Amino acid sequence: MKKNRFLGNVWMIFCAAYLILPLGVTLIYSFSSSWVAIVPSGFTLEYYIEKITDAAFFMGVLRGIIAAAIPVIVTNICILLALFAVIVYFPKMEKYMQMICIIPTTINGIILATSVLSTYAGGNTILSNRILMLLCTYCIFCFPLTYQGIRNSLYAVNTKRLLEAASMLGASEFYGFVRIIVPTVLPGLVNTALISFAGLFGDFAIIKIIASSQFETAQTFLYKNRSADTQAFSAGVVILLLFTLLINVAVHKTASKENQKEKK
Amino acid sequence: MKHIKTNGKKLCFFLPFLCIAVLFLFVPFANMLRNSVTGSNGGFSLEHFADVFSKPIYLSAIGNSLSISMKSTMVGLLVDFILAMAVVNLTQKKKSWYLSLLDLTSTFAGLPLTFSFITILGTSGVFVLISKNLGFSPLANYDLYSLEGMFLVYLYFQIPMGTLLLVPAFAEIKKEWREAATLMNCGSLRFWFRIGIPVMMPSIMGTFGMLFANALTAYTTPYLLINNSIALLPVKIADMFVGDVRQRPGLGSALSIVMLAIILAVLGLTNIVKRHFEKGKKS
């Protein structure tokens, strides 16, 4: 038994080392002016200063944030409205809605992106706008997680009962939904929204296929400049990673807050 | 009439959701299906599928994709299983620390991950240069830009995801079973093969399906590392629509459907195995 535990610990340390290695090396590499011997030499911040003051990179990060935030918000609103109608008016529609929201887990990234592209590209309608195409495809990708999150929160607060109570007091159902239900479930939605946001912010495949030349995010910017100075490049990767880390911490914070509330 | 009017108003709540779903999920998907069976002369034809299953380049794309996905899933699952087993035994504090590490690395994917590996093991990667200086040949000649070299990156994203999916499954193994088995003189290895793994089989199969689909559809890593030098399904599909060469949406759609069929087949198979092992549970 003791031997097993020891082997388990060794295995865990080994795996952790493997997982941390690429992150760690990239981080150290971005701070050093050269690294050919075992120990890197020359600590420098110049690559970070170069990246941060690079307007194109900065704008790329900003565009990445916008391109990830809009779909998350739109999807949340759409699914909230639809689930409101499901719960209050048409309970039978729920299984169809669930079906629609689960499809994107199988029809994944490139299949959906390429089929959207081949359907609308080259047309003259507003749908052939690449940026709109990108945002809407992102929306589809948020469906499964957002649906699950919103559904669970709405059932947890017993929406139907609350709305009945509100309507007895003279509020219309929709008014009650907007003023009572949405504010109650909002903190719970932030968690799933942040996870979706992190996923979209890290996306490269879909944006490469649909809108790489029209819309440059930080990811596509790095891709274009991949042959440039490798240290500067590592600095860019590290900045993106730190941003993802920040979102991650936020996800954990909101999740643990929710847990505490449930315990109370 | 009034009935329809009031119901119509209520149905408006579905409108935004349905608009996006129809326009960007159903219509493109139907279009893809149609494209795949439309021949070059415009009529119904299976020529694209015939192409996919007769031309060596597409067959090797399918073969390569299946091989790297299968390998990385199998090895990943084994690593994940042992890792999850070890993580479950940790104290609460250490466990949550390790789980956060897995959480963090599971979001570390796509372009940043691939470039990190290039920084370490690429042609002028840190480890490669150091090994060259030291004369350590296995690492000095590491070829990241090949199927075998890429395997490490694939394995990397299989570890956090699979482990996070498997950790909850270990809760199903009751401590009492272990004690009972030990009393009856059943060794640790025998316990896992006879009791532990069969009980966990549904979760293991579910994880297998997820990991496989994840590896099969990975686009960013192969695109950045090998692009077109070795044929892989996702890269080939994307090329048919946005590539530098002539665009062939019909063929691309056929390839997409083949990929989808592979995913569905694997999910179906894992489901059958799942059912088989669930039989004894609910009675």
Side-chain angles (χ1 to χ4, degrees):
Chain A
M1 199 64 201
K2 224 172 191 175
K3 195 178 141 210
N4 272 347
R5 195 146 289 176
F6 174 72
L7 285 176
N9 281 337
V10 171
W11 187 246
M12 271 190 294
I13 293 168
F14 178 74
C15 288
Y18 182 56
L19 291 175
I20 293 171
L21 195 72
L23 292 164
V25 171
T26 310
L27 185 71
I28 298 170
Y29 194 59
S30 63
F31 280 119
S32 54
S33 42
S34 87
W35 191 354
V36 282
I38 290 180
V39 185
S41 58
F43 176 83
T44 171
L45 282 174
E46 77 177 280
Y47 301 111
Y48 280 92
I49 296 165
E50 187 189 318
K51 269 275 143 339
I52 292 168
T53 50
D54 185 350
F57 180 72
F58 186 76
M59 286 308 286
V61 174
L62 209 64
R63 279 199 210 99
I65 293 172
I66 295 169
I70 294 176
V72 170
I73 295 167
V74 169
T75 311
N76 268 292
I77 294 172
C78 289
I79 292 189
L80 260 176
L81 284 177
L83 267 175
F84 161 73
V86 162
I87 289 175
V88 180
Y89 305 125
F90 312 100
K92 281 182 188 156
M93 300 282 271
E94 168 139 23
K95 57 173 184 255
Y96 300 110
M97 196 168 156
Q98 189 181 13
M99 226 148 58
I100 295 175
C101 288
I102 284 182
I103 294 173
T105 54
T106 328
I107 301 182
N108 52 73
I110 45 161
I111 295 184
L112 189 65
T114 50
S115 55
V116 166
L117 185 72
S118 71
T119 308
Y120 296 119
N124 281 324
T125 52
I126 182 157
L127 291 175
S128 53
N129 180 313
R130 294 294 178 100
I131 296 168
L132 186 75
M133 242 191 260
L134 179 74
L135 295 180
C136 290
T137 313
Y138 275 173
C139 281
I140 299 284
F141 280 96
C142 297
F143 272 8
L145 197 66
T146 312
Y147 169 79
Q148 211 62 37
I150 295 184
R151 203 200 87 101
N152 291 348
S153 323
L154 284 182
Y155 278 98
V157 298
N158 204 344
T159 305
K160 197 149 191 180
R161 283 280 176 78
L162 276 178
L163 285 181
E164 275 165 11
S167 68
M168 251 179 248
L169 295 171
S172 80
E173 272 140 344
F174 188 63
Y175 179 82
F177 185 71
V178 173
R179 292 300 299 268
I180 302 165
I181 306 297
V182 173
T184 332
V185 297
L186 204 58
L189 304 191
V190 172
N191 192 31
T192 48
L194 280 172
I195 298 174
S196 310
F197 177 80
L200 294 183
F201 185 75
D203 165 67
F204 172 73
I206 299 167
I207 194 163
K208 174 79 189 54
I209 289 168
I210 294 187
S212 63
S213 48
Q214 282 85 354
F215 197 70
E216 192 177 276
T217 63
Q219 310 260 347
T220 46
F221 172 84
L222 282 180
Y223 171 69
K224 262 191 199 159
N225 297 302
R226 65 193 181 284
S227 50
D229 201 354
T230 38
Q231 274 106 329
F233 194 84
S234 300
V237 170
V238 169
I239 293 172
L240 283 193
L241 280 178
L242 283 181
F243 193 78
T244 325
L245 180 72
L246 223 64
I247 304 171
N248 242 301
V249 172
V251 169
H252 272 272
K253 275 258 167 71
T254 53
S256 60
K257 227 190 237 169
E258 279 298 295
N259 278 340
Q260 271 171 10
K261 231 193 256 166
E262 264 163 39
K263 271 176 199 159
K264 274 177 200 167
Chain B
M1 197 61 206
K2 201 184 163 200
H3 180 72
I4 295 170
K5 228 178 187 174
T6 50
N7 255 342
K9 229 185 214 167
K10 290 171 188 169
L11 280 172
C12 281
F13 289 113
F14 287 111
L15 217 56
F17 171 72
L18 280 182
C19 264
I20 295 180
V22 168
L23 282 177
F24 288 91
L25 187 61
F26 294 123
V27 172
F29 188 64
N31 187 50
M32 186 186 85
L33 286 178
R34 207 196 52 187
N35 271 343
S36 71
V37 291
T38 308
S40 45
N41 52 3
F44 174 84
S45 122
L46 288 175
E47 62 182 84
H48 299 307
F49 287 98
D51 269 0
V52 169
F53 289 112
S54 62
K55 291 202 173 140
I57 175 102
Y58 303 123
L59 284 177
S60 77
I62 296 173
N64 287 339
S65 270
L66 277 178
S67 133
I68 192 164
S69 310
M70 209 32 118
K71 273 188 214 153
S72 69
T73 307
M74 293 299 239
V75 177
L77 206 56
L78 193 69
V79 172
D80 297 345
F81 187 82
I82 303 172
L83 188 60
M85 200 183 333
V87 170
V88 171
N89 283 328
L90 287 174
T91 54
Q92 198 57 41
K93 202 174 169 193
K94 277 188 196 158
K95 189 173 157 188
S96 76
W97 188 88
Y98 208 93
L99 288 180
S100 327
L101 171 75
L102 291 174
D103 240 358
L104 173 69
T105 44
S106 73
T107 54
F108 181 42
L111 182 129
L113 173 69
T114 311
F115 278 124
S116 288
F117 267 93
I118 293 177
T119 312
I120 305 177
L121 290 169
T123 28
S124 57
V126 174
F127 282 15
V128 172
L129 289 185
I130 293 175
S131 312
K132 270 184 188 151
N133 279 353
L134 294 177
F136 182 59
S137 64
L139 262 182
N141 298 319
Y142 192 85
D143 183 15
L144 186 65
Y145 311 95
S146 66
L147 271 189
E148 291 75 31
M150 219 166 55
F151 179 79
L152 277 185
V153 190
Y154 272 65
L155 188 62
Y156 186 98
F157 60 63
Q158 302 287 38
I159 292 177
M161 189 180 171
T163 313
L164 285 173
L165 286 170
L166 280 176
V167 164
F170 273 93
E172 285 172 52
I173 310 289
K174 302 240 164 56
K175 232 185 185 162
E176 293 83 9
W177 300 350
R178 192 71 198 267
E179 287 160 6
T182 315
L183 281 180
M184 286 192 260
N185 207 9
C186 164
S188 175
L189 214 59
R190 195 156 163 233
F191 171 81
W192 282 111
F193 278 104
R194 284 300 181 82
I195 304 164
I197 293 178
V199 168
M200 285 175 62
M201 210 50 170
S203 316
I204 293 176
M205 280 297 127
T207 311
F208 181 90
M210 292 281 280
L211 293 185
F212 184 84
N214 192 26
L216 186 71
T217 60
Y219 170 77
T220 312
T221 302
Y223 177 77
L224 295 175
L225 287 181
I226 57 174
N227 202 354
N228 256 328
S229 58
I230 301 166
L232 273 176
L233 260 184
V235 181
K236 274 271 163 283
I237 291 174
D239 260 7
M240 295 294 156
F241 294 93
V242 288
D244 311 318
V245 280
R246 193 160 61 98
Q247 293 178 10
R248 303 168 73 180
L251 198 56
S253 302
L255 282 171
S256 294
I257 287 173
V258 170
M259 185 156 101
L260 206 59
I262 296 173
I263 297 174
L264 289 178
V266 169
L267 288 183
L269 274 177
T270 53
N271 250 329
I272 291 173
V273 179
K274 226 178 185 171
R275 289 266 166 76
H276 175 78
F277 280 95
E278 273 171 349
K279 253 182 208 162
K281 263 189 185 171
K282 293 171 194 155
S283 56

